[in-house]
Amino acid sequence: MFSNGGPKQLGRREFLGALAVGGASAAGQAAPPLATSLPEPMARPGGADLAYGLPAPEEAHVERALSMTAGFPVWRTPLQRQRGVITPSGLHFAVHHNGVPEIDPRRHVLLLHGLVNQPLRFDLERLLRYPMVSRVHFLECAGNSAANALSPTALDQTLGEIAGEVSCSEWTGVPLSYLLREAGLKDTAQWVVAEGADGGSHSRSLPLKALLEDGMVALFQNGERLRPSQGYPMRLFMPGWEGNVNIKWLHRLEVTDAPAYTKDESGLYTQVLADGGIERFAFHMEVKSVITHPSGQQRLHEPHGFYEISGLAWSGRGRIARVDVSVDGGRSWTPAQLHAPVLDRAFTRFTLPWQWRGHRAELMSRATDEQGRTQPLRSEWKRRYAMHSFNHYNAVQAWRVQVDGRVENLYA
Ligand SMILES: Nc1nc2c(c(=O)[nH]1)N[C@H]1C(S)=C(S)[C@@H](COP(=O)(O)O)O[C@H]1N2
Ligand SMILES: [Mo]
């Protein structure tokens, strides 16, 4: 079993084995006496800084993982390196069906037309003068964790490679309701078709009512202007909804009375169910969680050591209410500690102190959101969808810790 009363329950010797000053460390090494040698950089002036800061050169390996999926590049967030709920902008996952377009922000225009009283055009300068709101929200591709859904055996990959098509940022922009109300909606208005300015014109139909409640034309990400990868200079943002409706490089919103059944929504984003039925316009991303530490291909170096199990949970339907963690393959579950802030449709960090005894262990996390929805096991998820369906995979992610401390992807 494992200790679960918080770090205070851990014995002095068990607690991380930090080097004690002037004495001996838990591991028995003699520690150097205090202040006999100053840190070497103190002996000379420091170096120059950069106009735009970069991570330490030693952290340059912390990068997005690139793979080709269904013919287009997918860049995945290295979630196994993320501690905290905000994904650095340069590590935000990205899916480009037709590459990253080069857009001149001075010439880019957003057109709002269709079933409106007055069609409107917004250039960037005009949009930047509107009142804006800021919201912290995750963004997840409908196809995130597709390999776990499809591969008959669990692939030995890092968490980022397995489930890194999800990130969390602070998004700042103009509520869509301001723009739609300014244009004036006709009585028959029910849907909005949103189109990107990239080659291939990625487009989706969205229910007007939801856009009025929650939609945003996002202009800023984590306090700076959107990155080209995220849709510079403007994108549609719908909190909690599948990634593909968050149209990047947004240039057109057409108000209609019915969905357009665009190529993207009829093909890629329609799920086939096990009973032969289909699931169309399944916009919400369901509750999901992953243990980020320890996770796939990481290694625990010290048997009988203290480890903090730590991870991220999110739900497209609201706040995270609880996360339960199992270290014995799902036989017993313990509530993890949720760390503030626990925000609506955002990453929530959870932790649980754990004493690894050097045995094989199976770690799992299961999140529940404020609507009481919880994560299925993989077998339950597979029963619901047809064999080759992979969108909206939110089953419990399990990791096996081998006796040598190596951590591997595991199907539960
Ligand atoms: N114009 C346009 N918008 C797009 C896409 C695209 O290829 N073109 N990809 C979509 C998909 S499939 C996803 S998952 C999200 C990903 O957003 P991100 O690249 O900012 O993470 O953008 C969506 N918006
Ligand atoms: Mo996506």
Side-chain angles (χ1 to χ4, degrees), residues 245-268:
V245 306
N246 296 266
I247 306 294
K248 302 191 279 194
W249 315 294
L250 181 68
H251 88 112
R252 199 166 70 84
L253 293 167
E254 181 179 355
V255 182
T256 62
D257 56 358
Y261 299 105
T262 69
K263 64 179 190 326
D264 303 297
E265 59 206 15
S266 300
L268 285 174

Side-chain angles (χ1 to χ4, degrees), residues 212-276:
L212 284 170
E213 271 165 30
D214 268 341
M216 176 200 289
V217 179
L219 302 164
F220 294 82
Q221 175 186 4
N222 297 331
E224 61 184 359
R225 298 291 293 280
L226 293 184
R227 298 278 170 108
S229 179
Q230 267 64 63
Y232 180 81
M234 57 185 75
R235 85 176 305 162
L236 181 63
F237 197 86
M238 268 303 284
W241 284 21
E242 54 183 12
N244 64 79
V245 306
N246 296 266
I247 306 294
K248 302 191 279 194
W249 315 294
L250 181 68
H251 88 112
R252 199 166 70 84
L253 293 167
E254 181 179 355
V255 182
T256 62
D257 56 358
Y261 299 105
T262 69
K263 64 179 190 326
D264 303 297
E265 59 206 15
S266 300
L268 285 174
Y269 306 117
T270 295
Q271 282 71 248
V272 184
L273 302 176
D275 64 9

